[in-house]
Amino acid sequence: MRFLLLFSRQGKLRLQKWFTSMSDREKKKIIRDMTTMVLARQARSCNFLQWKDLKIIYKRYASLYFCLAVESQENELLALEIIHRYVELLDKYFGNVCELDIIFNFEKAYFILDEFLMGGEIQETSKQIVNRSIEASDMLQEVRFTDSPCVRREAGF
Amino acid sequence: MSPSVPLQEMIRAIRSARTQCEERGVIQRECATIRAQFRQADNEGRSHNLAKLLYVHMLGYPAHFGQMECVRMIASPRYSEKRVGYLGAMMLLDEKQDASLLITNSIKNDLANSNQYVQSLALCTLACMGSAEMCRDLAPEINRLLRASNSYIKKKAALCAVHIVRKVQDLGELFAPSARCLLTEKNHGVLHGAVVLITELCECNPESLERFRKTVPDLVQIMKGLVISGYSPDHDVAGISDPFLQVRKCEIMKLILTKIDTNAFNLIYVFTIQVATNTDSTKTVGNAVLYETVLTVLDIKSESGLRVLAVNILGRFLLNNDRNIRYIAMISLQKIVGTDHNAVQRHRGTIVDCLKDQDASVKRRALELSLALVSASNIRSMMKELLSFLSSCPPELRSQTASGIFIAAERYAPSQRWHIDTILHVLTTAGGDVRDETVPNLIQLITNTSELHCYTVHKLYRALHNDISQQPLVQVACWCIGEYGDLLLRGECQEMEPVQVTEDDVLDVLEAVLQSHMSSPSTRGFALTATMKLSTRITENVDRIRSIVSIYGSCIDVELQQRAVEYNALFKKYDHMRYSTEWLGQRFLVFVCSTFSAGLSPPICGFPQVCDLLDLLGGSEPPLQSSPALGSTAPLPVGTAGTAGGDLLDLLGGLEPTAIMTVLLSVFSVAPTVSVYDKDGVTVTLSCEKQSDSGLSITLTASNSTDSDIRGFTLQAAVPKVCISASNKILAVHLKSSFSFQVNLKMRLRISYTSQGSAVQDTVQVDSFPGLGH
């Protein structure tokens, strides 16, 4: 996988995850290209697009477009499944997720994504394990928050 | 110090801004606050601030001042701050930034942390943005973690290792043994990670393929387990147990087995079971696994039974209602159309139907596949479909369709007329989207089908009459009218209903093309040339042509101006001498057309250097040839006489240039010869041949039978000016016209050479020509 983008019907970016290293300018250009291409598609058309040498798989859930770019030898139908799995995870976590949840809690959306995908590959194929990890991390965050800070280690610079 | 606004309030504030300007204002204020707070040490709300900054970054505003804060927060002992810090690192830092190196040490420390969630943060960040140096530094740590007992960490470490191997391929060796051990795990996540790691190792290092070949049975075993064994609710997706893992396994099978020829009988068994279980699946996920299976089967060297099964599955996909499934079916079929052509042909009907689908992606795939499926047996029906598609297809596919149609027509045309009709149809429908070389190709095609000239010119005239906006069509039509205008004016045609076309009509059309805004300069060139050519073919409106041509003598376009001036000159200077000669002009024309693409080059080429040709450097039997190497044709256009003919012309005593002379000197087959000059071992013989009723070719052959070389041999020939009946008008440039000679031919030869140190010059008159019986 190369990148994952979430954007609204008006073209506003809600989440971006890049699995390869790119300059800021390239990223902005790609975001522009993707939003124009995907938003121009008609309602019941095919979910797959060809863009340069990548395959773009997009799916619309309510008011959000999920856009995933994969390399040419990867399985598109599986990419659709990946998108669906991510939406399910979000749904489970937020309880009937909607776009506002993702806007106001974007860092949590990222954390969930980081439990599901890593380095452009699927990390965990089981929904329950992912959910459990997220919950545990959140607990840890609460607990540690009230802890007194330990002696700080130098950050090495 | 103003209290920091928590993240959500800020987001609300930004969203409530009504204009872009207002939003920018809010963001600038917030950023200023954030910056101020970053400068302070120890602050409670640090993670909130960074989160706010990340939000602002996502909206597209610059956030680079947060990079150092990320570094600091990663080093913090608090988990919440670490979390946001790492998130910030993944978003703001990438391997090109120098600051990314600063976090290497933090990551190292966190990898050794006792808490697995801290470790996972570090692993995740490394896998996301680790640069090559960082990877090298931390690889041993990752390797250690691969052997840890915690499966949560193991799976993450495996994927981190994948990233490292992608960045620094040499480190693959380091991970190979650990990867092997991971395959024995039960945990699906770890298995998945292990399979990805092994795939990556095999891809980058072919030697590891050998090593991992032994793992094939293990992999097959695992797959069998997944497919056949019971229901695992954890990993189940719509009844398929862990499709993600299954697909991954297929991929690695594909990779290993394409490179190494192993007989994996078990694998085939597993595949067939997979196919059987997923046959009824209407869900995407079942189809996903099936699709992967099919791809694997087609990629590895499987036996033909299995291949047929795979193609049939793809055929079934084509009939599926879901567009996505049809799309991927067509992509896969495209890949195998080269090798399994017949198998794919069976599904041709469905594929052609997909051309009519609403969706642009599906249309594109269907077009490519249809073009690949065209063959001699189905050309007519396929072409009908493709032509109807062309008239309704989206603009971005037009030029691809047009060129595909041309290629197919060229390869499989059942008849010439059909071929021409098809090309004309394409030009009228999508003329603006065809490529440039179509015009010369079409001209060549028309030239070669001489029996259809009449039909073609009528059709083109009609098309031109209707619409002069499609440039390629206009160019071809103009050329055709110029070439075969006489056929057009004659009015009758066997293949079409007769239509009376007068000279004025034709000239009207050409003039319209010349004056239209839509015509490109090259099109105008075509039209001008055609007008000129018509002056030899029509009888009454020569003055009109003359006036048209002379207008363009002052045209801004240099090319047009040059042509117009030259044509004008033809009218003025050579009007009295309306020669014509028999050329094998058409082939020459085609040669010109095909070497000079769009925009016919000025058909008036310079004279070849006649003198050079006559300049013989010491030698034995040089036949007199005049022409550049244009195959066996040696026509030269009338036109600018150029400087080359100068010397020759002097002999003629002030006569006008006769390009015709050089043609006369061209080499054709020899007829009865007569010797016209014989002195001191130097002989010149002459032979004539009647080319046609009105053409004559004379060949002069010089030979040297002395012992020494002859230097500076020059032979010049002149015929007296002949009176020409003005039965045919002037030819203009490269085409057929007739040559009439009505007086007795006399020829005067002047021969000069140097032999054995002495210069010799002779003049000989030849009065009788053998073989000239008339």
Side-chain angles (χ1 to χ4, degrees):
Chain A
M1 276 176 262
R2 290 286 183 90
F3 55 83
L4 171 68
L5 299 174
L6 260 76
F7 45 87
S8 70
R9 293 244 304 272
Q10 285 78 36
K12 290 204 131 151
L13 192 66
R14 298 297 175 209
L15 195 139
Q16 54 177 329
K17 187 76 183 176
W18 305 92
F19 297 113
T20 46
S21 157
M22 270 184 252
S23 71
D24 263 347
R25 263 187 57 197
E26 280 171 19
K27 287 187 191 172
K28 286 213 166 75
K29 180 165 188 306
I30 290 178
I31 293 171
R32 257 202 317 270
D33 285 346
M34 288 297 121
T35 39
T36 26
M37 259 178 28
V38 172
L39 291 174
R41 297 280 282 180
Q42 284 167 340
R44 263 185 296 278
S45 41
C46 183
N47 290 104
F48 309 131
L49 287 170
Q50 188 75 23
W51 182 77
K52 295 196 186 167
D53 61 332
L54 297 175
K55 295 198 252 206
I56 309 292
I57 293 99
Y58 75 93
K59 190 121 195 258
R60 187 177 147 205
Y61 286 88
S63 56
L64 269 183
Y65 283 92
F66 286 71
C67 178
L68 186 60
V70 299
E71 319 222 319
S72 43
Q73 67 268 23
E74 294 187 37
N75 187 332
E76 300 98 316
L77 293 178
L78 202 73
L80 269 180
E81 281 306 304
I82 293 175
I83 294 177
H84 191 72
R85 174 57 71 89
Y86 182 49
V87 173
E88 280 177 343
L89 290 169
L90 287 173
D91 197 42
K92 187 82 196 301
Y93 182 79
F94 287 109
N96 246 339
V97 67
C98 64
E99 190 184 344
L100 283 178
D101 288 326
I102 300 183
I103 295 172
F104 283 102
N105 299 293
F106 71 96
E107 79 276 14
K108 299 210 178 61
Y110 273 105
F111 296 147
I112 296 174
L113 188 62
D114 286 335
E115 283 295 324
F116 176 47
L117 301 175
M118 190 159 99
E121 305 290 342
I122 301 175
Q123 240 185 87
E124 180 55 62
T125 51
S126 157
K127 274 191 283 192
Q128 286 180 356
I129 296 182
V130 176
N131 283 326
R132 261 183 261 147
S133 324
I134 301 281
E135 279 163 25
S137 310
D138 282 345
M139 291 288 294
L140 194 59
Q141 191 170 304
E142 297 300 313
V143 168
R144 280 295 190 103
F145 196 62
T146 56
D147 257 353
S148 55
C150 322
V151 176
R152 291 222 278 143
R153 284 169 286 195
E154 286 306 313
F157 60 98
Chain B
M1 175 195 86
S2 60
S4 58
V5 179
L7 173 63
Q8 302 198 347
E9 285 183 25
M10 181 193 84
I11 296 177
R12 225 167 270 133
I14 293 176
R15 280 169 62 79
S16 61
R18 268 162 299 163
T19 62
Q20 187 77 3
C21 194
E22 229 180 289
E23 183 182 296
R24 263 202 298 271
V26 172
I27 288 178
Q28 271 176 1
R29 273 196 299 278
E30 284 296 333
C31 283
T33 324
I34 293 171
R35 252 197 264 236
Q37 293 189 336
F38 280 170
R39 270 182 243 126
Q40 296 174 352
D42 229 1
N43 190 316
E44 278 299 310
R46 274 165 69 189
S47 51
H48 288 298
N49 285 331
L50 191 56
K52 276 191 254 180
L53 188 60
L54 293 177
Y55 184 79
V56 165
H57 173 76
M58 192 152 66
L59 290 177
Y61 296 91
H64 41 270
F65 54 87
Q67 287 172 7
M68 287 315 292
E69 187 65 17
C70 290
V71 176
R72 259 178 257 135
M73 287 188 63
I74 288 173
S76 150
R78 285 193 209 165
Y79 181 71
S80 58
E81 289 180 0
K82 259 201 222 288
R83 225 181 178 192
V84 183
Y86 274 119
L87 181 64
M90 284 193 271
M91 285 178 77
L92 297 177
L93 296 172
D94 64 19
E95 56 188 38
K96 298 194 181 83
Q97 315 274 6
D98 297 327
S100 59
L101 287 174
L102 298 172
I103 64 176
T104 314
N105 213 19
S106 304
I107 294 184
K108 196 167 188 171
N109 291 331
D110 284 333
L111 284 175
N113 196 302
S114 50
N115 189 313
Q116 64 175 6
Y117 296 107
V118 176
Q119 283 177 312
S120 84
L121 282 177
L123 284 169
C124 196
T125 310
L126 185 61
C128 183
M129 43 76 70
S131 64
E133 294 86 25
M134 286 165 73
C135 291
R136 253 187 265 265
D137 283 338
L138 297 167
E141 282 292 311
I142 306 295
N143 200 14
R144 189 178 59 80
L145 287 172
L146 273 177
R147 296 177 191 273
S149 52
N150 186 340
S151 53
Y152 179 76
I153 293 299
K154 262 195 279 203
K155 76 177 184 224
K156 292 193 190 249
L159 288 176
C160 202
V162 170
H163 177 86
I164 293 178
V165 171
R166 278 187 193 147
K167 281 279 175 218
V168 183
Q169 272 149 9
D170 307 327
L171 291 171
E173 286 303 311
L174 183 61
F175 296 117
S178 326
R180 190 87 169 74
C181 305
L182 285 176
L183 277 181
T184 52
E185 289 282 326
K186 290 278 176 276
N187 184 309
H188 282 221
V190 179
L191 270 180
H192 191 276
V195 173
V196 179
L197 181 57
I198 295 177
T199 316
E200 195 60 37
L201 288 172
C202 291
E203 262 173 28
C204 70
N205 191 350
E207 289 137 22
S208 1
L209 269 179
E210 272 305 317
R211 197 186 311 170
F212 287 110
R213 173 200 233 181
K214 300 182 205 95
T215 63
V216 169
D218 294 332
L219 290 167
V220 177
Q221 206 56 28
I222 299 171
M223 260 224 291
K224 222 193 318 192
L226 281 175
V227 178
I228 301 172
S229 74
Y231 169 75
S232 155
D234 235 13
H235 303 278
D236 183 86
V237 181
I240 316 283
S241 46
D242 212 342
F244 302 109
L245 190 54
Q246 286 192 35
V247 168
R248 265 295 162 186
K249 292 256 183 298
C250 284
E251 282 180 27
I252 193 176
M253 286 291 124
K254 197 176 7 178
L255 187 65
I256 295 185
L257 292 179
T258 38
K259 305 273 172 64
I260 307 181
D261 197 13
T262 329
N263 264 330
F265 289 118
N266 277 338
L267 183 64
I268 296 173
Y269 171 61
V270 171
F271 279 159
T272 4
I273 302 282
Q274 254 177 344
V275 170
T277 19
N278 295 329
T279 317
D280 303 321
S281 181
T282 48
K283 297 277 173 93
T284 313
V285 66
N287 286 324
V289 179
L290 203 51
Y291 176 51
E292 191 64 37
T293 316
V294 163
L295 284 183
T296 314
V297 164
L298 290 173
D299 268 348
I300 68 180
K301 290 188 218 92
S302 44
E303 46 184 25
S304 63
L306 210 53
R307 279 186 96 87
V308 170
L309 182 62
V311 178
N312 284 344
I313 293 175
L314 288 177
R316 237 193 330 208
F317 276 176
L318 272 179
L319 298 166
N320 197 310
N321 282 330
D322 189 350
R323 277 208 179 94
N324 295 334
I325 311 278
R326 270 185 279 163
Y327 180 85
I328 56 154
M330 280 194 277
I331 293 186
S332 322
L333 287 173
Q334 182 84 31
K335 284 189 211 149
I336 58 167
V337 76
T339 46
D340 297 88
H341 192 93
N342 293 332
V344 183
Q345 279 281 6
R346 256 180 267 140
H347 304 287
R348 186 162 52 90
T350 332
I351 295 170
V352 168
D353 280 335
C354 288
L355 278 174
K356 305 190 189 91
D357 196 299
Q358 302 285 353
D359 184 274
S361 318
V362 172
K363 270 195 186 144
R364 183 189 295 269
R365 293 284 161 222
L367 173 67
E368 283 173 14
L369 205 48
S370 310
L371 288 174
L373 284 178
V374 172
S375 74
S377 48
N378 57 27
I379 178 76
R380 282 190 197 263
S381 50
M382 286 297 279
M383 199 50 78
K384 247 188 278 187
E385 298 285 344
L386 286 170
L387 286 173
S388 66
F389 176 67
L390 184 64
S391 41
S392 61
C393 77
E396 61 267 11
L397 290 178
R398 270 214 172 139
S399 84
Q400 193 181 352
T401 319
S403 39
I405 291 179
F406 284 149
I407 295 174
E410 207 174 295
R411 244 191 254 161
Y412 301 115
S415 75
Q416 299 278 36
R417 180 175 161 171
W418 181 92
H419 194 174
I420 290 183
D421 276 342
T422 313
I423 298 188
L424 288 181
H425 192 135
V426 173
L427 284 181
T428 35
T429 349
D433 299 299
V434 298
R435 283 204 298 255
D436 289 334
E437 60 260 19
T438 321
V439 172
N441 287 342
L442 180 55
I443 290 181
Q444 181 159 11
L445 178 65
I446 294 178
T447 328
N448 290 338
T449 44
S450 42
E451 62 274 10
L452 286 174
H453 284 163
C454 191
Y455 170 73
T456 318
V457 74
H458 274 269
K459 255 201 126 155
L460 280 171
Y461 173 75
R462 256 175 242 192
L464 191 62
H465 202 70
N466 290 338
D467 172 22
I468 56 171
S469 62
Q470 313 260 38
Q471 296 303 301
L473 179 65
V474 173
Q475 286 173 5
V476 175
C478 286
W479 178 86
C480 224
I481 291 176
E483 192 76 11
Y484 307 119
D486 46 339
L487 294 175
L488 180 63
L489 293 168
R490 223 185 288 160
E492 22 151 290
C493 180
Q494 300 119 319
E495 322 228 358
M496 293 173 72
E497 328 85 59
V499 133
Q500 213 34 286
V501 179
T502 66
E503 295 176 5
D504 275 319
D505 292 335
V506 176
L507 287 176
D508 283 338
V509 164
L510 286 176
E511 230 181 327
V513 172
L514 275 171
Q515 290 164 358
S516 159
H517 296 298
M518 297 184 277
S519 305
S520 69
S522 50
T523 314
R524 288 218 176 93
F526 270 92
L528 193 61
T529 313
T531 320
M532 197 58 206
K533 284 191 220 168
L534 278 180
S535 70
T536 53
R537 286 168 174 63
I538 64 180
T539 46
E540 292 144 15
N541 289 4
V542 184
D543 289 327
R544 187 175 170 187
I545 292 182
R546 236 174 155 159
S547 62
I548 295 176
V549 169
S550 56
I551 291 174
Y552 283 89
S554 46
C555 174
I556 290 181
D557 188 301
V558 175
E559 171 107 353
L560 276 179
Q561 193 185 63
Q562 179 188 356
R563 284 192 208 200
V565 165
E566 284 164 353
Y567 293 150
N568 261 331
L570 274 176
F571 270 119
K572 289 192 205 121
K573 280 169 61 178
Y574 310 123
D575 205 48
H576 60 281
M577 194 180 82
R578 300 274 184 154
Y579 288 93
S580 15
T581 10
E582 192 75 44
W583 314 105
L584 295 174
Q586 295 183 339
R587 275 203 261 153
F588 174 63
L589 167 66
V590 170
F591 173 69
V592 170
C593 279
S594 53
T595 46
F596 304 107
S597 53
L600 210 46
S601 79
I604 302 170
C605 319
F607 250 36
Q609 294 287 319
V610 171
C611 289
D612 291 343
L613 295 170
L614 298 180
D615 195 2
L616 312 165
L617 296 166
S620 32
E621 298 218 332
L624 289 168
Q625 286 192 32
S626 75
S627 75
L630 275 183
S632 63
T633 63
L636 300 162
V638 177
T640 45
T643 53
D647 291 348
L648 181 63
L649 306 178
D650 288 345
L651 263 186
L652 301 175
L655 282 182
E656 300 298 358
T658 51
I660 299 92
M661 278 319 300
T662 47
V663 174
L664 295 183
L665 297 178
S666 44
V667 178
F668 290 102
S669 55
V670 183
T673 61
V674 69
S675 166
V676 294
Y677 176 80
D678 189 351
K679 186 171 159 193
D680 294 342
V682 177
T683 28
V684 175
T685 56
L686 177 149
S687 70
C688 331
E689 188 191 37
K690 274 196 83 159
Q691 280 300 97
S692 69
D693 282 345
S694 49
L696 177 71
S697 83
I698 301 174
T699 311
L700 296 157
T701 317
S703 57
N704 170 18
S705 51
T706 63
D707 295 330
S708 58
D709 289 347
I710 303 283
R711 299 195 192 285
F713 184 89
T714 328
L715 186 143
Q716 295 167 317
V719 293
K721 179 174 169 182
V722 293
C723 155
I724 304 301
S725 71
S727 51
N728 279 328
K729 301 293 186 171
I730 202 166
L731 79 264
V733 281
H734 36 74
L735 315 175
K736 49 182 175 183
S737 347
S738 51
F739 181 17
S740 39
F741 239 12
Q742 282 181 350
V743 295
N744 288 333
L745 186 61
K746 295 190 195 346
M747 187 187 285
R748 193 178 294 165
L749 295 173
R750 183 192 291 162
I751 302 165
S752 59
Y753 57 91
T754 313
S755 166
Q756 291 158 345
S758 55
V760 179
Q761 194 182 69
D762 274 331
T763 311
V764 172
Q765 175 131 346
V766 182
D767 290 332
S768 71
F769 294 78
L772 193 65
H774 56 269

